[in-house]
Amino acid sequence: MRLMLKLILGAILLIALLLAGLLGAAHWNFEHALQQRFSISDPPLPVTADDAALAHGAHLFRSRGCSSCHGEQGEGRVFLDAPPMRLIATNLTPGGRGKHYDADAFGRAIRHSVAFDGRPLLHMPSRDYVELSDLDTAALTAHLAALPPSSNDPGPSRVHMLGRVLYLLGQLPIIEAELVDHQPRTRQAPEPDASVTYGAYVARTCVGCHGNDFRGGRLPGAPPDFPPASDLTAMPGWREADFMRLMREGKRPDDSKVHPLMPWEAFSRMHDDELSALFRYFRSLQ
């Protein structure tokens, strides 16, 4: 009996030591990752602040999901508060963090998930925007610079120990600067029309959830009650009108509603040609 008790206590002590080691490694690894510095050398953005550029930038801000996270006026807000982490979408206005960013710094944040000081941003979905064209990125940064200043301070993001352990295990890709291509290059968009080619360009916005192949699946690190992202290459029998309704109203052909995680309200602001191009591109993958 005494030997059995010693074995049990020894096993408990070993498990406690292993757990403490795991938690310590997770904490150190995450803090070390946050202190990385990334040097981005993309060509300077061709920024203009004329009415056309500002209008296009505002359209991109609202139709590509930026306002869904950061607020209609870029004032920032709590984006997610769940057990692994509390994520804050930053105040992008000149009265908030935006005061630290010029156009090229905004471009690095958008396309590379890198802050003005070279450190990685948390959960900035740059995989969706890494191929955003220079002209589109310039228009978007012009809109950000023109936002009305706001003093709103939603506080800092926090990744709790569970999130740090998941990051250590490769199950929570929250530092996207580690995942995107930082090769310096110019980026051009196809002609904006209802074509498969332009649809492929617009569809980059969907990569973060639906994957590079758009086949969907469970999101890494997502809570258990989150449904897997849909397979966008499998829409048998869908007509363009069905897709339009999904993106405009958040309803499938059978009248069921999509999960609130799907930012259809943002995508509903896309022009008809943009949505038609998306549909044709996804149909081309089937």
Side-chain angles (χ1 to χ4, degrees):
M1 177 65 71
R2 186 173 297 174
L3 177 61
M4 181 63 70
L5 183 59
K6 287 183 178 179
L7 290 174
I8 293 173
L9 291 175
I12 293 173
L13 179 60
L14 178 60
I15 292 172
L17 289 173
L18 290 174
L19 181 59
L22 174 64
L23 297 181
H27 176 76
W28 178 88
N29 180 65
F30 192 74
E31 290 298 320
H32 178 72
L34 292 180
Q35 297 307 313
Q36 296 177 88
R37 290 294 194 278
F38 292 85
S39 179
I40 309 300
S41 302
D42 281 339
L45 292 171
V47 180
T48 60
D50 57 30
D51 290 345
L54 289 172
H56 184 52
H59 170 70
L60 292 173
F61 184 77
R62 296 186 176 96
S63 67
R64 299 306 193 264
C66 309
S67 61
S68 298
C69 292
H70 293 274
E72 283 294 315
Q73 297 297 320
E75 69 277 10
R77 67 185 184 90
V78 178
F79 172 67
L80 176 67
D81 197 352
M85 54 199 167
R86 183 177 190 266
L87 292 180
I88 301 300
T90 306
N91 178 346
L92 300 176
T93 75
R97 298 290 284 178
K99 65 187 175 187
H100 299 295
Y101 288 79
D102 60 15
D104 291 316
F106 266 134
R108 292 190 290 272
I110 293 165
R111 299 195 294 197
H112 297 275
S113 195
V114 172
F116 67 93
D117 60 2
R119 284 193 262 193
L121 295 168
L122 280 179
H123 202 58
M124 170 60 203
S126 290
R127 282 177 292 176
D128 293 354
Y129 308 115
V130 66
E131 298 302 335
L132 195 67
S133 77
D134 293 349
L135 287 176
D136 282 353
T137 305
L140 185 51
T141 64
H143 172 70
L144 295 177
L147 288 169
S150 169
S151 60
N152 181 49
D153 182 8
S157 292
R158 300 189 186 280
V159 178
H160 307 307
M161 188 53 71
L162 173 59
R164 294 174 181 231
V165 170
L166 290 172
Y167 172 78
L168 176 67
L169 299 177
Q171 298 302 307
L172 189 64
I174 195 173
I175 301 181
E176 297 212 3
E178 299 176 333
L179 307 174
V180 299
D181 179 10
H182 299 302
Q183 181 71 25
R185 60 196 186 277
T186 58
R187 298 164 175 85
Q188 294 182 331
E191 188 68 25
D193 55 23
S195 65
V196 170
T197 302
Y198 190 63
Y201 173 73
V202 177
R204 287 291 313 182
T205 311
C206 311
V207 164
C209 290
H210 295 274
N212 286 316
D213 60 1
F214 302 103
R215 294 187 179 276
R218 182 159 291 282
L219 301 179
D225 59 336
F226 275 32
S230 299
D231 182 351
L232 299 179
T233 71
M235 295 188 290
W238 279 52
R239 302 166 302 163
E240 185 169 329
D242 297 325
F243 183 76
M244 288 288 193
R245 187 185 184 212
L246 174 77
M247 301 297 268
R248 299 286 192 212
E249 303 176 26
K251 293 183 179 180
R252 303 183 184 90
D254 63 4
D255 223 30
S256 62
K257 294 183 178 179
V258 298
H259 192 274
L261 186 65
M262 162 64 182
W264 64 268
E265 292 182 350
F267 298 150
S268 71
R269 298 176 174 184
M270 288 187 184
H271 301 315
D272 286 349
D273 278 355
E274 291 173 307
L275 292 179
S276 293
L278 265 182
F279 175 72
R280 293 174 189 183
Y281 173 65
F282 292 142
R283 283 297 299 268
S284 76
L285 300 179
Q286 294 181 43

